[in-house]
Amino acid sequence: MTFIRINKKEWDRKEYFDHYLNQQTTFSMTSNIDITKLLVELKKRHLKIYPAFIYLVSKVANSHKEFRMAMDSNGEVGYWGEVYPSYTIFDQEAHTFSSIWTKGLHDFALFHSSYEKDVDLYKNTGKLFPKTPVPENTIPISMIPWSSFTGFHLSVNNGGNYLSPIITSGKFSQLNGRTILPVSVQVHHAVCDGYHASLFINELQLLADSCENWI
């Protein structure tokens, strides 16, 4: 994994970064994604929505360095050359979850297959992180399939240095004949603004609309 350090002296975002890092300001944006077409295409191929969602989020994150930002062990800011999804899987008996990660993001069929193998291997372990070692270059993704929502926010208390986006989706529902998936994007304002959060949501929708090109 490659970490590209940023020269803050020449960084056009330095003023924003320093200001919002000092304030420890994060924000979240929740929007509805129309997955009507995506669900149809997935059902044709007997594929699952959750790995498709994870794949879409990962594709968007890897398309923009703003969603791959981090601080290294020396406190230097930079971004990963590539990030992998760290996603939650639910334990039906214990009603807890585990967080695992999967590679293979360059091809959806490969990723879906790898996802199923990882889930089968690490489900119901009773551990929070059963697949180790966990790479540093991951972004957290989760789905709450029991309830829809209009807003979602996580409180991360780590000194304000956690710069990765946190993506959470909920239960999809029907609205005016369309299937709608609520998606929350939480970001650190030091590296992302409303423009970037909107970009994330809009590109998720574009990928869902063009699903026949990548499924």
Side-chain angles (χ1 to χ4, degrees):
M1 55 186 171
T2 303
F3 185 74
I4 300 96
R5 290 181 177 83
I6 290 175
N7 184 348
K8 283 186 63 179
K9 293 181 180 180
E10 300 178 359
W11 192 20
D12 57 4
R13 193 174 176 83
K14 180 182 183 303
E15 182 180 3
Y16 302 87
F17 179 83
D18 289 341
H19 176 75
Y20 288 115
L21 189 70
N22 182 62
Q23 285 192 344
Q24 298 187 17
T25 302
T26 66
F27 70 92
S28 61
M29 176 185 291
T30 302
S31 299
N32 286 329
I33 302 296
D34 187 337
I35 59 170
T36 308
K37 181 179 180 182
L38 175 59
L39 279 181
V40 170
E41 294 299 322
L42 289 172
K43 288 179 180 179
K44 285 181 183 178
R45 298 163 175 81
H46 306 288
L47 300 173
K48 300 174 181 177
I49 181 60
Y50 190 33
F53 174 70
I54 295 169
Y55 179 80
L56 292 186
V57 169
S58 303
K59 293 292 285 186
V60 175
N62 278 299
S63 296
H64 303 278
K65 68 177 185 296
E66 288 83 5
F67 307 129
R68 292 179 275 125
M69 302 293 292
M71 297 183 74
D72 65 13
S73 57
N74 296 319
E76 296 291 330
V77 64
Y79 57 94
W80 298 108
E82 183 179 27
V83 290
Y84 305 129
S86 175
Y87 56 92
T88 57
I89 55 176
F90 189 65
D91 187 324
Q92 296 288 350
E93 295 184 2
H95 293 173
T96 57
F97 67 89
S98 297
S99 182
I100 62 175
W101 53 277
T102 300
K103 294 184 179 182
L105 297 172
H106 301 289
D107 178 83
F108 177 63
L110 174 61
F111 175 77
H112 195 285
S113 176
S114 298
Y115 161 90
E116 291 192 313
K117 291 176 182 177
D118 279 337
V119 171
D120 285 340
L121 184 60
Y122 297 107
K123 67 182 179 181
N124 304 328
T125 62
K127 297 180 180 179
L128 180 55
F129 299 107
K131 185 180 180 181
T132 57
V134 180
E136 293 182 74
N137 55 324
T138 59
I139 58 170
I141 302 170
S142 60
M143 178 175 280
I144 304 173
W146 309 279
S147 178
S148 187
F149 51 72
T150 57
F152 186 86
H153 182 77
L154 284 168
S155 179
V156 180
N157 183 11
N158 72 329
N161 295 336
Y162 189 79
L163 305 181
S164 176
I166 302 172
I167 316 299
T168 309
S169 68
K171 180 181 180 180
F172 57 75
S173 58
Q174 299 297 314
L175 180 64
N176 298 324
R178 311 299 293 176
T179 304
I180 302 300
L181 180 73
V183 177
S184 173
V185 179
Q186 182 162 320
V187 295
H188 201 304
H189 208 350
V191 294
C192 287
D193 305 321
Y195 166 79
H196 303 100
S198 300
L199 185 69
F200 202 109
I201 292 294
N202 292 339
E203 291 199 2
L204 275 183
Q205 186 64 69
L206 286 173
L207 284 171
D209 290 342
S210 60
C211 55
E212 71 278 3
N213 294 330
W214 53 266
I215 290 181

